[in-house]
Amino acid sequence: MKNKTAYILGIITLVLSMSSCGGDNGKADGYGNFEATEITISAENNGKLMQFNVKEGDLLEKGAFIGYIDTIPLSLKREQMLSSKAVVSSQSKSVLSQISVLNAKLKTANANKLRAENLIADNAGTQKQLDDINGEIDVIKQQILSVEIQNAPVVNELKSIDIQLRQIDDQILKSKIINPVNGTVLTKYAEASEITSFGKPLYKVADLSTMKLRAYVSETQLAGLKIGQEVTVKIDDADAMQSHIGTISWVASEAEFTPKIIQTKEERVALVYAIKVDVPNDGSLKIGMPAEVWMTTDNN
């Protein structure tokens, strides 16, 4: 019974300590670790890495050319498709020339129709003349339609070749390795001259200029938190705690159990809320580094 009472008193003391403000009892208001948005850049094509200029720790700009995958097989395939297109196009030239001749006849027939209509309006022409011209126009249109039907397979084949050419051009473009974001290279997974494949990771990059501290605070502290609020973030230094100014960018809408990395076993079973604090990085902040959050910016 005595042990049970001591345990309950311990829990009450823990809850009260988490509820109190850091400035009141000399303890931080929240604890957490730094993180960053990490992006893994993967190969978008198959082949040999002909060039791959990247090292771990490199600071890369968005749009920087990193290297390329061998495009010789794609270029040869493209040349083959162009030759096929030339052959198919030559087969359709005679058919297309027939359509051109028929379109010229149709233009002349339409001009004659307009002339006949004007003559009838002036009582200088007959309805039979107009009917004969309309009949001629219908015959020419049927001839054009017939030729177009004959030429349809050729036209469809040309369209298919054009689509394949665009696909090859897209593959050649994706053989270039272009860095998508500003950031620092965290990990390198491949080397030049290696054979890579679609989806294979090449390197991992993250923007470390502003780090995000994911920390946890108690429910009673939520009322004093708001997006955009400045807080003090402290990290361990050689002699004393090093302070940085951060800005709260996110507050969780639901409570969760404190992560295992936080404090003692008893504290890990408490319900807390996660927050994210943006902290400008002067080079001293690293991914995974532990830190403390103080809600006031005058604690140094």
Side-chain angles (χ1 to χ4, degrees):
M1 185 69 177
K2 185 179 294 184
N3 291 336
K4 184 176 181 181
T5 303
Y7 175 76
I8 294 173
L9 289 174
I11 293 294
I12 293 173
T13 303
L14 172 63
V15 172
L16 289 175
S17 66
M18 290 189 67
S19 304
S20 59
C21 178
D24 295 336
N25 60 11
K27 290 182 62 177
D29 296 293
Y31 303 88
N33 296 79
F34 283 106
E35 58 185 32
T37 302
E38 301 177 8
I39 299 176
T40 299
I41 286 77
S42 302
E44 296 186 79
N45 212 340
N46 304 319
K48 185 177 181 179
L49 274 174
M50 303 301 294
Q51 184 178 331
F52 191 50
N53 302 324
V54 66
K55 300 188 296 294
E56 292 182 358
D58 282 353
L59 186 61
L60 302 178
E61 293 183 357
K62 180 179 180 179
F65 175 76
I66 304 301
Y68 69 96
I69 300 169
D70 185 15
T71 58
I72 291 179
L74 290 172
S75 298
L76 294 175
K77 186 176 180 180
R78 191 178 193 280
E79 290 297 324
Q80 182 181 15
M81 295 305 301
L82 287 174
S83 298
S84 299
K85 183 178 180 180
V87 172
V88 175
S89 296
S90 64
Q91 293 174 352
S92 66
K93 281 183 179 179
S94 59
V95 180
L96 294 175
S97 63
Q98 292 179 43
I99 294 178
S100 297
V101 172
L102 291 171
N103 280 327
K105 288 184 177 180
L106 182 61
K107 183 178 180 180
T108 302
N110 283 323
N112 291 334
K113 177 182 176 181
L114 181 60
R115 211 172 285 119
E117 289 174 342
N118 292 332
L119 290 172
I120 292 174
D122 295 335
N123 295 320
T126 64
Q127 184 62 40
K128 184 178 181 306
Q129 290 176 317
L130 181 59
D131 292 341
D132 290 342
I133 294 173
N134 284 330
E136 182 183 356
I137 290 174
D138 290 339
V139 170
I140 295 173
K141 286 181 177 179
Q142 288 297 323
Q143 290 175 334
I144 292 174
L145 181 61
S146 176
V147 174
E148 287 177 342
I149 292 173
Q150 294 175 20
N151 196 46
V154 177
V155 173
N156 290 334
E157 189 172 356
L158 286 174
K159 288 181 179 178
S160 175
I161 292 174
D162 286 336
I163 291 172
Q164 293 179 66
L165 284 171
R166 287 198 296 270
Q167 290 174 335
I168 293 173
D169 290 340
D170 181 63
Q171 287 182 296
I172 291 175
L173 182 63
K174 289 180 177 178
S175 294
K176 295 180 180 179
I177 305 168
I178 306 297
N179 186 59
V181 294
N182 294 324
T184 302
V185 178
L186 303 179
T187 311
K188 182 179 180 182
Y189 300 110
E191 297 291 342
S193 299
E194 288 184 0
I195 302 300
T196 188
S197 58
F198 181 85
K200 181 180 179 181
L202 300 176
Y203 66 98
K204 183 185 292 184
V205 65
D207 185 1
L208 304 181
S209 61
T210 298
M211 300 291 289
K212 285 189 177 294
L213 174 64
R214 186 183 183 93
Y216 298 87
V217 299
S218 64
E219 182 178 4
T220 56
Q221 294 168 309
L222 285 179
L225 297 179
K226 61 181 180 179
I227 304 297
Q229 176 182 339
E230 285 193 347
V231 295
T232 298
V233 174
K234 294 185 178 183
I235 62 173
D236 292 329
D237 204 353
D239 300 319
M241 299 291 284
Q242 184 183 127
S243 296
H244 297 261
I245 300 299
T247 305
I248 297 176
S249 60
W250 174 80
V251 178
S253 59
E254 295 182 356
E256 59 183 285
F257 285 106
T258 312
K260 293 181 179 181
I261 58 174
I262 302 299
Q263 299 299 306
T264 65
K265 180 179 180 181
E266 288 77 12
E267 287 179 317
R268 292 200 299 268
V269 300
L271 284 174
V272 293
Y273 285 81
I275 65 171
K276 288 185 180 180
V277 181
D278 292 346
V279 184
N281 190 4
D282 59 0
S284 62
L285 307 181
K286 305 292 188 293
I287 295 175
M289 178 182 288
E292 300 176 353
V293 176
W294 299 71
M295 296 309 172
T296 55
T297 56
D298 56 354
N299 291 312
N300 294 313

